[in-house]
Amino acid sequence: MRILHVDDTFHPNFGYQCNPLAKFQCRAGNEVYIISPEAKYIYSVYHSFGEYGEHLAEDDAKYEHDTGVKIVRVKAKGYIQGRLNYDKKELLKAIDDIKPDVILVHCMETLTAMYLMRKLRRRYPMAFDSHMLSMASKNKLSKLFDVAYKLLFTSIIKKERYMVIKTQNDDYVHKHLGVPEDLSKFISFGTDVLLFCVDDKAKSNFLKEKNLPEDTFVITSTGKMTEAKDGMLFAQTVKERFAGDREVAVVVVAEFIGEYEKKVKAELDKSENKIYYYPVQQYTQLPFFYQIADVTVFPKQCSMSFYDAQSCGCPVISEKGHVNEERNSHGNGFCFDCGSAEDFRRQIQKLIDMPKEDYEVMRNNSYEFVTKNYSYEDIAAQYTEVLSDAIKNYNIKYKGEMNL
């Protein structure tokens, strides 16, 4: 099957969903392409990681060599309200040159998805996905967007029977965009278990390198230290020394570029615990930071990195919310009260004080939970099944019409 991913946000050095998904679909024998914007207009979130696309051509070439996936960069005209605006003529030409059997358009709320939904409905089989959560849809114009989307695009989804894949077990696409439940399917984020795996030597080597005691408790944070991710809450949580005799080391993988991040850095510098800073890492370098950790923490918002950490046998602590509470309900982590540094510390302290035997059970639970349920090898197969159904649906609806 020739599969085309259209993803406004793809970058080969970052582990957002399209990266491992395309890789594993290609490993399964499919011919896989990714269309994404030229370096000038790469996803602006990457700027907060200090990435502006200077070496994107070389990065793309390496990803293509390593995975077999082909990347096509398309010109864009800029962003409108944070949404990428491709050069439409170039986008359509790139798609027609590829001649895909089916197209998966990532993030159904983008201008790209909305344009292709209307433009290609009779030309190619398509499916869409959504990464949105109801709790994240709080923009003051969101209600207006929801009404317009239902009127202009949900009607197309219903008529064409397009399947919408929910990457979060959330009712956003139903409640906000009016997508019927029978036209949606929940397929979770996951992890590349070939890359993110247990390495029992990593932590001991790290402790020797830093001249730390063997029983040091290591806290890792790989999330952005922005206001949206509540970096200050994290800084406040680890500011005071944790109780007990164990040394605590805090490993922070982040850039501190904006004014808010600089304030977070100044607060972290005051910590009574040992702080080790690392710049933002390429996707392939991230496993090390979970392999050396006794816990990985996420102060605010859900993160795909949850699965990466757990696949390395690392328990997770994250804020309360139905998604995180479900994720951490398998003896594999804890949740803390939203916005509470006191409760955040309390959950970390529970792990620090946990008997070694109990901690090993939690560590094993983390590994088992993800590798048995959230490997991208299995997730990619589920996506491919949805795409196969999209082709069948398209052929039933348009094959006779196309043969006229």
Side-chain angles (χ1 to χ4, degrees):
M1 186 188 308
R2 182 176 294 177
I3 300 170
L4 170 60
H5 293 261
V6 179
D7 183 358
D8 293 356
T9 68
F10 176 75
H11 192 299
N13 290 345
F14 293 83
Y16 290 107
Q17 186 207 30
C18 186
N19 187 321
L21 183 59
K23 168 185 172 179
F24 277 92
Q25 285 181 322
C26 195
R27 283 173 60 88
N30 299 289
E31 187 178 357
V32 185
Y33 290 78
I34 299 172
I35 281 180
S36 207
E38 60 188 335
K40 183 178 179 181
Y41 293 108
I42 63 169
Y43 189 31
S44 58
V45 167
Y46 298 135
H47 298 170
S48 64
F49 293 119
E51 171 60 54
Y52 292 88
E54 296 95 331
H55 305 289
L56 190 60
E58 301 97 300
D59 295 335
D60 282 352
K62 185 178 186 306
Y63 179 85
E64 290 181 327
H65 176 269
D66 292 345
T67 67
V69 177
K70 300 176 182 65
I71 302 169
V72 178
R73 294 288 175 181
V74 173
K75 292 181 180 179
K77 295 181 178 180
Y79 283 83
I80 299 174
Q81 293 294 310
R83 290 180 167 90
L84 182 72
N85 181 29
Y86 278 109
D87 182 312
K88 303 298 192 299
K89 183 178 179 180
E90 294 289 335
L91 176 61
L92 294 179
K93 182 180 184 303
I95 292 171
D96 287 338
D97 286 347
I98 293 169
K99 297 181 176 61
D101 294 320
V102 63
I103 303 172
L104 174 59
V105 187
H106 293 270
C107 301
M108 62 182 287
E109 308 85 7
T110 60
L111 292 176
T112 304
M114 291 185 280
Y115 173 73
L116 295 181
M117 196 179 294
R118 298 179 69 87
K119 190 71 175 179
L120 299 183
R121 57 196 292 187
R122 295 173 181 268
R123 294 175 59 188
Y124 294 101
M126 289 190 289
F128 299 81
D129 74 11
S130 174
H131 301 192
M132 279 293 291
L133 287 166
S134 293
M135 65 181 289
S137 181
K138 296 180 180 178
N139 186 291
K140 62 182 179 181
L141 298 177
S142 62
K143 290 185 178 180
L144 180 62
F145 175 83
D146 293 348
V147 171
Y149 196 98
K150 289 177 184 177
L151 180 65
L152 298 173
F153 301 102
T154 304
S155 56
I156 297 176
I157 291 171
K158 293 177 179 178
K159 184 175 181 179
E160 301 298 328
R161 304 293 296 172
Y162 286 139
M163 184 60 69
V164 176
I165 298 169
K166 301 185 297 182
T167 58
Q168 308 272 11
N169 192 11
D170 186 82
D171 65 359
Y172 170 79
V173 301
H174 312 305
K175 182 178 178 181
H176 289 262
L177 303 185
V179 176
E181 291 195 17
D182 68 320
L183 292 180
S184 71
K185 181 180 177 67
F186 169 51
I187 304 179
S188 176
F189 291 129
T191 190
D192 181 347
V193 297
L194 300 178
L195 180 63
F196 293 91
C197 56
V198 175
D199 183 347
D200 292 325
K201 295 181 179 179
K203 183 184 176 183
S204 60
N205 291 337
F206 170 77
L207 297 180
K208 288 178 182 177
E209 176 190 327
K210 301 300 182 184
N211 197 28
L212 292 168
E214 290 183 5
D215 68 340
T216 298
F217 187 88
V218 179
I219 302 168
T220 284
S221 171
T222 58
K224 295 188 290 290
M225 289 291 141
T226 59
E227 189 169 6
K229 296 291 186 179
D230 212 342
M232 190 60 73
L233 176 67
F234 174 66
Q236 292 167 350
T237 298
V238 300
K239 185 175 182 179
E240 296 179 9
R241 181 176 176 82
F242 286 90
D245 297 329
R246 294 183 71 179
E247 188 79 66
V248 173
V250 182
V251 175
V252 181
V253 182
E255 304 290 347
F256 298 90
I257 298 173
E259 286 303 312
Y260 179 89
E261 291 102 311
K262 290 177 182 177
K263 291 178 181 178
V264 172
K265 171 67 162 51
E267 194 70 10
L268 284 169
D269 288 342
K270 300 174 185 176
S271 178
E272 296 174 0
N273 301 289
K274 293 184 181 296
I275 307 287
Y276 297 94
Y277 298 105
Y278 291 84
V280 169
Q281 303 290 305
Q282 291 189 3
Y283 179 55
T284 55
Q285 303 304 313
L286 279 174
F288 168 79
F289 296 94
Y290 304 126
Q291 290 162 349
I292 66 173
D294 293 293
V295 65
T296 296
V297 297
F298 299 102
K300 190 174 183 179
Q301 297 185 354
C302 303
S303 175
M304 290 170 57
S305 299
F306 164 87
Y307 300 102
D308 299 336
Q310 295 255 296
S311 188
C312 295
C314 184
V316 163
I317 295 177
S318 51
E319 67 171 350
K320 287 182 179 176
H322 75 276
V323 172
N324 285 341
E325 288 177 74
E326 193 287 324
R327 286 177 174 178
N328 286 334
S329 66
H330 308 275
N332 56 332
F334 299 123
C335 288
F336 65 91
D337 294 336
C338 298
S340 171
E342 181 181 359
D343 194 45
F344 199 173
R345 280 183 62 85
R346 187 180 298 118
Q347 304 309 320
I348 295 173
Q349 190 71 55
K350 281 167 63 175
L351 276 177
I352 295 172
D353 297 338
M354 186 176 287
K356 184 176 181 180
E357 296 78 11
D358 294 344
Y359 175 79
E360 288 301 322
V361 170
M362 179 169 278
R363 177 175 162 84
N364 188 63
N365 288 342
S366 301
Y367 173 79
E368 294 288 336
F369 171 63
V370 169
T371 55
K372 288 184 177 180
N373 300 288
Y374 297 98
S375 165
Y376 260 110
E377 184 171 12
D378 298 327
I379 290 170
Q382 294 179 57
Y383 267 85
T384 302
E385 183 178 355
V386 169
L387 298 179
S388 295
D389 289 342
I391 294 174
K392 293 174 185 176
N393 175 66
Y394 177 87
N395 287 340
I396 291 171
K397 188 174 181 65
Y398 288 115
K399 187 174 182 180
E401 179 180 316
M402 291 176 67
N403 286 337
L404 292 177

